Amino acid sequence: MSEIELLIDFHKDGERQGPGSPEETGKALALIGFEQDEYLRVADIGCGTGAQSIILAKHINGHITAIDLFPEFLEKLDQKAREIGLSDKITTQRQSMDKLQFGENELDLIWSEGAIYNIGFEAGIKYWRRFLKAGGYLAVSEISWITGSRPAELEQYWLEAYPEIDTVSNKIQALERNGYTPVAHFILPPYCWIDNYYRPMQQRFGKFLEKHGYADTVKAFIESEQKEISMYEQYKDYFSYGFYIARK
Ligand SMILES: C[S@@+](CC[C@H](N)C(=O)[O-])C[C@H]1O[C@@H](n2cnc3c(N)ncnc32)[C@H](O)[C@@H]1O
């Protein structure tokens, strides 16, 4: 199995594929404050198995188009939506976030948790803006420095993994530079990382190794995931996901 196939095979069994929580998704939605009688056209970009697509569908009057590159994740979301009776509010579509098939000025809300890094924050907010109606909202979570300075080891690790990591204030400036009015922002607390994402991953490591016959490629994959977890545990005072809400 290639690295990407391993990643899909491992993460498709997760409730979520990145840090977050139903509460923080709800908080971001409440900060926007849509009227209940407003019918909304929403895109959830890089939805994974749909942890937040489901929350959005529960709280929003409207329709969610949930986009991801990998059908394995979308199938899980379809299955969950069917089980809880939300299929009529969520349509999954395999699309790449850098070649979206929406029309210009079509969407009331673009949502994206822990995924915009795949296109790059600034390229993403710039490209996605055309699909929002005037006055439409963007709600994205993005890896961010939460202090003005940080240990060199941590800086090096993230500069190799995602050089666009930056301070909260610089992320907000990027929104301003690209035609958005910042509305609110907050930082994801540690339980979103540890309790909701990393501990469930660690609980699946053993079975995953067994399933793949303890192959070296699988051991290397688990080691790299464990390295990410250790970096977070050691340095969580310096970085997190910032949740950014802005208006076109
Ligand atoms: C860290 S996960 C976050 C998933 C989900 N939003 C969550 O919080 O559980 C990033 C997601 O982006 C998706 N992705 C990666 N590249 C993509 C692309 N070019 N277009 C659409 N989705 C992509 C991945 O398949 C994955 O589901």
Side-chain angles (χ1 to χ4, degrees):
M1 263 191 177
S2 69
E3 205 176 313
I4 195 75
E5 285 168 335
L6 279 176
L7 188 134
I8 294 168
D9 196 43
F10 180 73
H11 284 287
K12 73 178 168 45
D13 291 330
E15 179 60 30
R16 55 185 321 119
Q17 287 69 44
S21 75
E23 293 75 19
E24 305 302 312
T25 297
K27 177 170 161 179
L29 198 52
L31 284 165
I32 298 175
F34 286 116
E35 300 292 338
Q36 257 311 314
D37 58 356
E38 236 179 306
Y39 186 89
L40 303 171
R41 293 211 51 185
V42 182
D44 180 9
I45 302 179
C47 61
T49 62
Q52 50 277 158
S53 324
I54 299 276
I55 303 294
L56 294 173
K58 280 183 180 165
H59 288 94
I60 276 177
N61 172 24
H63 193 84
I64 323 294
T65 306
I67 305 289
D68 206 276
L69 197 53
F70 300 119
E72 293 87 342
F73 293 160
L74 296 175
E75 280 159 24
K76 292 272 180 180
L77 170 53
D78 280 329
Q79 190 187 331
K80 267 193 279 186
R82 269 196 306 275
E83 281 166 11
I84 53 178
L86 284 172
S87 297
D88 56 335
K89 289 186 85 176
I90 301 174
T91 304
T92 59
Q93 280 181 11
R94 183 185 192 185
Q95 289 190 41
S96 186
M97 62 175 74
D98 57 357
K99 286 189 202 74
L100 294 172
Q101 289 153 30
F102 299 106
E104 293 203 3
N105 308 309
E106 182 179 328
L107 300 168
D108 297 286
L109 173 63
I110 291 181
W111 203 272
S112 182
E113 291 195 35
I116 197 170
Y117 71 90
N118 288 293
I119 183 174
F121 184 76
E122 188 144 7
I125 58 172
K126 186 178 197 149
Y127 171 57
W128 295 351
R129 186 178 179 278
R130 72 199 66 187
F131 303 110
L132 282 175
K133 293 177 184 166
Y137 285 88
L138 172 77
V140 286
S141 69
E142 159 79 341
I143 197 83
S144 305
W145 298 127
I146 57 172
T147 54
S149 62
R150 60 214 65 96
E153 183 198 20
L154 176 67
E155 183 132 8
Q156 195 52 39
Y157 173 83
W158 272 108
L159 289 179
E160 277 167 25
Y162 182 55
E164 219 180 313
I165 187 170
D166 210 337
T167 55
V168 170
S169 49
N170 283 339
K171 293 291 170 190
I172 291 171
Q173 280 184 34
L175 289 164
E176 291 167 339
R177 254 197 317 280
N178 286 282
Y180 295 90
T181 301
V183 171
H185 72 274
F186 58 91
I187 304 293
L188 288 190
Y191 82 91
C192 289
W193 293 76
I194 295 174
D195 302 337
N196 292 4
Y197 183 49
Y198 286 150
R199 290 293 173 262
M201 277 171 63
Q202 286 173 317
Q203 282 159 12
R204 300 200 307 278
F205 284 165
K207 267 208 165 147
F208 192 69
L209 278 165
E210 195 184 324
K211 174 180 173 186
H212 291 281
Y214 299 89
D216 286 344
T217 47
V218 181
K219 286 186 192 156
F221 168 77
I222 300 283
E223 265 167 38
S224 126
E225 299 283 65
Q226 186 53 54
K227 168 82 179 159
E228 183 191 310
I229 297 173
S230 306
M231 289 303 282
Y232 180 74
E233 286 174 338
Q234 188 176 356
Y235 291 121
K236 60 179 175 308
D237 292 343
Y238 299 95
F239 70 99
S240 185
Y241 271 93
F243 216 129
Y244 302 94
I245 297 135
R247 191 161 186 259
K248 174 171 169 180

